[in-house]
Every structure is written in structure tokens, then in C-alpha cells.
Amino acid sequence: MPLFFYSDWTYLLLVLPAVILALFAQINVSSTFNKYSKIFSNRGFTGHNAARAILDANGLYNVQIVQTPGKLTDHYDPRSNCIRLSDSVFDSRSVAAIGVAAHEAGHALQYAKGYVPMKLRAAIIPVTNIGSSLAWPLVLLGIFLSYPILAYLGVILFGFVTLFQFVTLPVEFNASRRALQALTNSGTLNDTELRGSKKVLTAAALTYVAALAVSIGNFLRLLIISGRSRRR
């Protein structure tokens, strides 16, 4: 991508601050997780145990929980109806691991109960994948070929990427709320331990806020660049 795309005012004003926020969010979630990975549940629950207890309490006996390589690679896969917990979460008794595992169980609950934002996010994934791959190439082609319609098509496609990030926020916040409520109701963690899990999930939530900020900045940047090329 041409150098001016990184050095013009649209990048410096609209994107760079969001990128800095995203870097801070990633550092913060890693340090917060590491901090509360050293505090263990008095009741001896592991991440796997906590997630399993939440699922079973809600009748989701068919949802599997498997271990997956890596750190903070945890996710719920609705296609296989499976929660994948990372090595640092699956067997860990830390309040950080229990919070993350409960969060993924929260996603399984959303899917089972037909949570609307979860359905919307799943529905736009195909066009989001297309938009993330083709948006910039289409904008660049539209500019270099002096074909504004092509550039604006790229902007529209990237708009779905931004919409995906926007819909992700309520999905993630709701999953954390379900997780903390389940941990409270079951007595899996005491009040002090629960506060630790909440701080981990709050730090994780900031990464999604930052991702949305980056996406909005890039969307506005694409819109401005496309409009500028049209006036030439």
C-alpha cells in the first residue's frame, strides 16, 4: 500500500489513536490475566470445571469442552457446539482462568437461547470476511482507475466489517455478564475472587472496544479518501 496512505492526516487523526488504544488494550489484558492467574479458587474449581458446571446448570449437556493449544485462544465454536479452552485456562484453578472459561460458557448460553446480536453477528460473517479482504484493493483500484463506484463499493464492504465489530460489543459484554452471574449464583468464587475474574473480563472487553475504534477509524478514512478521489 502506498506510503501516503500511512502518512496522510486521515491515518494520523482517525486511525493512529485507535491503534495505540488497541496496543494498550492487548498489553492490559495480558498483564491483568497474568496477575490474576496467580490467585486461585478456594473451592478448587478449574476453568474446565467452572464451564462444565455452568453448562450443566442450564441443561447444555451436549456442549463439549476441549483443550486447545496456546494462551488466551479460548472461544466457543457454534458449528461444532464446542467450547475450546486454552492450555492456560483448561486445567488452571486461577480466578483468571475460571472467568475466561465462564465467559465462553456464556457464549454457549447465548447461542442456545437465540440471543439476537449473536445471530446477527453469525449472519454477517461471510460478507465480513469478503469485506476485510477486498475493501482496500477495491478502493485503491477505484482511485487509480478513476472509477469512484469501485472505490465506494470497497467502502460499503468495509462497512460490514465495522458493523461486525459493533455487534460484537453487546455479544461480548452480555457473555461476561452471564458468566459473572452464573459464578455468583453457583458460589464457585467468593466475592474477592469474583472481583478478580471481573477485572480480567473487563480488560478483555476493552480489546473489543479498541477493535471497534480501529474499524471506525479505517471506515471513515476509506470514505474520505474515496470522496477525495472523486473530486479530482
Side-chain angles (χ1 to χ4, degrees):
M1 196 176 297
L3 179 61
F4 78 88
F5 275 90
Y6 291 106
S7 60
D8 70 336
W9 71 266
T10 60
Y11 178 80
L12 297 176
L13 184 62
L14 298 175
V15 181
L16 185 58
V19 170
I20 294 173
L21 174 62
L23 290 174
F24 167 78
Q26 288 296 333
I27 294 171
N28 182 54
V29 72
S30 181
S31 62
T32 304
F33 183 86
N34 289 338
K35 176 181 179 180
Y36 289 99
S37 290
K38 299 179 177 65
I39 300 175
F40 301 101
S41 164
N42 286 330
R43 295 192 62 187
F45 277 84
T46 64
H48 170 267
N49 295 151
R52 184 75 268 164
I54 293 172
L55 296 174
D56 291 350
N58 288 273
L60 301 183
Y61 307 105
N62 60 326
V63 179
Q64 293 183 310
I65 304 175
V66 299
Q67 191 167 357
T68 190
K71 180 180 180 181
L72 296 180
T73 52
D74 313 88
H75 63 281
Y76 168 65
D77 183 359
R79 294 169 299 178
S80 60
N81 202 24
C82 176
I83 293 176
R84 305 185 190 279
L85 298 180
S86 63
D87 295 331
S88 57
V89 168
F90 190 89
D91 285 325
S92 174
R93 295 186 296 106
S94 73
V95 298
I98 290 171
V100 170
H103 175 88
E104 300 308 328
H107 283 310
L109 293 179
Q110 290 173 332
Y111 189 78
K113 296 180 182 297
Y115 182 60
V116 174
M118 170 75 90
K119 287 184 174 181
L120 177 58
R121 187 174 72 165
I124 64 175
I125 283 178
V127 68
T128 297
N129 291 336
I130 294 172
S132 61
S133 301
L134 295 182
W136 273 106
L138 285 174
V139 170
L140 292 176
L141 281 174
I143 292 173
F144 294 143
L145 298 177
S146 297
Y147 198 58
I149 293 179
L150 198 60
Y152 280 118
L153 177 59
V155 174
I156 291 171
L157 285 176
F158 195 85
F160 283 97
V161 177
T162 303
L163 177 62
F164 177 84
Q165 296 292 350
F166 182 79
V167 175
T168 292
L169 285 187
V171 172
E172 297 299 331
F173 283 122
N174 179 265
S176 290
R177 186 169 67 250
R178 291 173 187 263
L180 293 170
Q181 188 63 56
L183 292 174
T184 299
N185 293 342
S186 64
T188 301
L189 301 177
N190 62 38
D191 290 344
T192 300
E193 295 166 347
L194 197 63
R195 283 194 291 271
S197 288
K198 185 176 182 179
K199 288 182 179 180
V200 171
L201 295 181
T202 300
L206 180 59
T207 64
Y208 295 103
V209 174
L212 175 60
V214 171
S215 186
I216 291 174
N218 276 308
F219 175 76
L220 293 175
R221 186 171 179 236
L222 283 172
L223 190 61
I224 292 170
I225 291 172
S226 298
R228 183 191 302 165
S229 66
R230 184 179 181 180
R231 292 191 295 270
R232 288 177 180 174

